[in-house]
Amino acid sequence: MKTEDDFFSYREWEKYLEEQQMKQELEENPDEIKKLSLVELNKLIEEDSTNEIAIERRRELLAQYKKERVTQIKEPKKTVVSKLKEKIKGANQE
């Protein structure tokens, strides 16, 4: 663990202590990871790439977001022939 002397400012030291405390709490209680957002999970994984619980939760969230994503339906290109058929069909109905 780093000491206060390893940091340039006191704010960085406090931030480091908070991150370490959060990491320890998450390791003790894995259910807390389910409450984190994707951004927080990415930060957690960036700090500790061996955290399998966070990696698995991130994988679940990405799969869920991919499933919920709405893709744009592409309209088929209209060719000259299909346009003519539509006009002919419209003229026959009148």
Side-chain angles (χ1 to χ4, degrees), residues 21-61:
Q21 182 181 4
M22 184 177 82
K23 186 191 291 186
Q24 184 179 9
E25 289 173 2
L26 290 174
E27 288 173 359
E28 292 171 359
N29 190 1
D31 292 334
E32 291 293 319
I33 285 186
K34 294 186 178 185
K35 297 178 184 175
L36 296 178
S37 68
L38 188 60
V39 175
E40 293 168 333
L41 282 171
N42 286 336
K43 287 181 184 177
L44 188 65
I45 292 171
E46 186 177 303
E47 292 169 7
D48 180 21
S49 61
T50 60
N51 190 340
E52 292 182 20
I53 299 169
I55 293 171
E56 184 61 33
R57 178 62 181 155
R58 180 175 178 263
R59 187 176 297 130
E60 291 171 4
L61 277 177

